[in-house]
Amino acid sequence: MQSRAGTTAAILLLAAGLMVSLIVAVTMGTTRLPVGQVYTVIRYELLHLVCGQPIPKKWAPGTAVHDVVWLIRLPRLVLAAAVGTSLSLCGVAMQAIVQNPLADPYILGVSSGAGLGVTLAVLLGVGTALGSNYVGLMAFAGALGISCAVVALANVGGRANSVKLLLAGSALAAVCGAGTQFLLYLRSADHADSEIMRWTMGSLSAADWPNNVVMLLVAGGGTAFFLTQCRTLNLMLLGDETAVTLGTDLHRYRILYLVVSSLMVGFAVYAAGAIGFVGLVVPHVVRLLFGTDHRRLVPLCALSGALFLLWADVLCRTILPGNEIPVGILTSLLGAPVFLCLMVRHRYGFGGGA
């Protein structure tokens, strides 16, 4: 069990590590850029002046260095941090909602819903009226629609509980997966297959500042919300009967948390595709190291998820020169060994600490 001082120190250390990681990672890529050039470009955009002097023309917007730093690398790093935060927090919430340590943002059908949305958009042109980003919007709509359907089905024949939510999510995930495979079987096309595959494996390559602002607001708002819900999340791990004796009815909280999580995952899917495993492994690693109390889990998972996905994206761009590995593949390859190692070396429980 970690002391409050130890938890505070860990939060500060992770926050500092995230800032340093953004500064260091922006210099890394297929082409290494001098640190001075990189930060001059960033200062140009943030302040439009360097040390009170006019900006040299060679660092002005439109140059190659400026475009690589400000329009390519930094946006995708910021997006990686925001998406990692959202997925990790949703993993924490959903594991508490269904009282199942194997739950993550995708086990309730969100990933399959997003994949079906992408398939409908690419193969059948559904949603083209939504504009140039219609594929991403259809992924978002699919993720959110399946989450709402899970809530509706779980409430049929009585109030939703953790078991009904898990069963409804698994059933709808199977239906969406079958629908996707059926459409691919009927309308197979090389270019469509490759686009659907890219989306379902996740990619941060389409990051830009307008979408990043939205994703940062979603991630920040979700973090602030769940920071106020730590006691209730702890009660969820103790079960409904115990919570009722303590004066808390978990039903409405369970639905509220699922809707908020679905919105966060939906925006993450819209911005970066379906990136799995982050919402599963990060909460478990944090529990192994810091315990099960959500007063520690929520802030630590938010920062750890951001760091995890940020460096996963850096490796995606640098591990194979001239090629980029889909980030969803790398998160699984990196996360599973770390998770298993910690499971072997530490005692682990999945309980509450209200």
Side-chain angles (χ1 to χ4, degrees), residues 2-347:
Q2 298 289 322
S3 66
R4 179 174 297 181
T7 301
T8 301
I11 292 172
L12 293 175
L13 183 62
L14 286 172
L18 181 59
M19 296 304 298
V20 172
S21 294
L22 281 170
I23 293 173
V24 173
V26 76
T27 68
M28 303 172 67
T30 54
T31 301
R32 296 283 299 212
L33 298 177
V35 175
Q37 294 182 15
V38 169
Y39 302 135
T40 301
V41 171
I42 295 175
R43 286 195 298 268
Y44 181 95
E45 288 290 342
L46 296 179
L47 304 175
H48 296 289
L49 291 173
V50 176
C51 300
Q53 301 297 322
I55 296 296
K57 291 184 178 180
K58 61 181 178 178
W59 308 132
T63 62
V65 173
H66 171 275
D67 290 348
V68 169
V69 172
W70 191 254
L71 301 181
I72 298 176
R73 291 187 184 176
L74 194 57
R76 68 184 292 161
L77 291 172
V78 171
L79 179 62
V83 170
T85 294
S86 295
L87 295 179
S88 298
L89 285 179
C90 292
V92 171
M94 289 188 177
Q95 286 162 18
I97 289 169
V98 302
Q99 295 175 274
N100 190 320
L102 297 179
D104 77 345
Y106 299 101
I107 200 170
L108 296 183
V110 179
S111 178
S112 297
L116 181 59
V118 170
T119 303
L120 289 170
V122 174
L123 293 183
L124 303 181
V126 177
T128 52
L130 298 175
S132 58
N133 291 326
Y134 75 98
V135 177
L137 291 173
M138 284 299 296
F140 171 77
L144 188 58
I146 290 300
S147 298
C148 293
V150 168
V151 173
L153 283 176
N155 279 282
V156 173
R159 301 176 67 180
N161 55 43
S162 59
V163 175
K164 292 173 70 176
L165 286 168
L166 191 60
L167 292 174
S170 299
L172 287 176
V175 171
C176 289
T180 299
Q181 295 300 319
F182 181 66
L183 289 173
L184 285 171
Y185 175 76
L186 291 179
R187 299 286 298 271
S188 181
D190 291 341
H191 73 282
D193 288 352
S194 62
E195 184 171 356
I196 292 169
M197 187 66 68
R198 179 196 64 81
W199 196 274
T200 55
M201 288 189 295
S203 174
L204 298 162
S205 59
D208 57 45
W209 288 115
N211 285 332
N212 280 5
V213 171
V214 175
M215 193 65 232
L216 285 170
L217 290 174
V218 170
T223 302
F225 171 75
F226 282 119
L227 281 171
T228 67
Q229 304 299 311
C230 295
R231 178 181 179 275
T232 306
L233 288 169
N234 282 339
L235 287 176
M236 284 185 174
L237 299 185
L238 298 176
D240 289 71
E241 294 181 0
T242 302
V244 169
T245 62
L246 296 174
T248 302
D249 183 359
L250 296 180
H251 174 71
R252 62 188 182 91
Y253 288 105
R254 189 175 282 115
I255 302 303
L256 174 62
Y257 297 166
L258 183 59
V259 171
V260 172
S261 297
S262 299
L263 286 171
M264 294 175 70
V265 173
F267 275 102
V269 169
Y270 167 69
I275 302 173
F277 211 67
V278 178
L280 176 64
V281 71
V282 172
H284 280 298
V285 171
V286 174
R287 282 193 189 93
L288 285 165
L289 299 176
F290 295 95
T292 59
D293 190 340
H294 284 86
R295 289 170 292 185
R296 290 187 290 269
L297 276 179
V298 170
L300 290 171
C301 282
L303 292 168
S304 299
L307 276 167
F308 179 73
L309 197 57
L310 185 153
W311 283 108
D313 180 61
V314 172
L315 287 175
C316 283
R317 294 184 286 110
T318 58
I319 196 170
L320 294 178
N323 293 286
E324 180 177 323
I325 300 174
V327 69
I329 293 176
L330 196 60
T331 55
S332 297
L333 291 175
L334 289 175
V338 173
F339 177 53
L340 292 174
C341 179
L342 287 170
M343 283 287 290
V344 171
R345 296 180 58 188
H346 296 264
R347 294 183 61 192

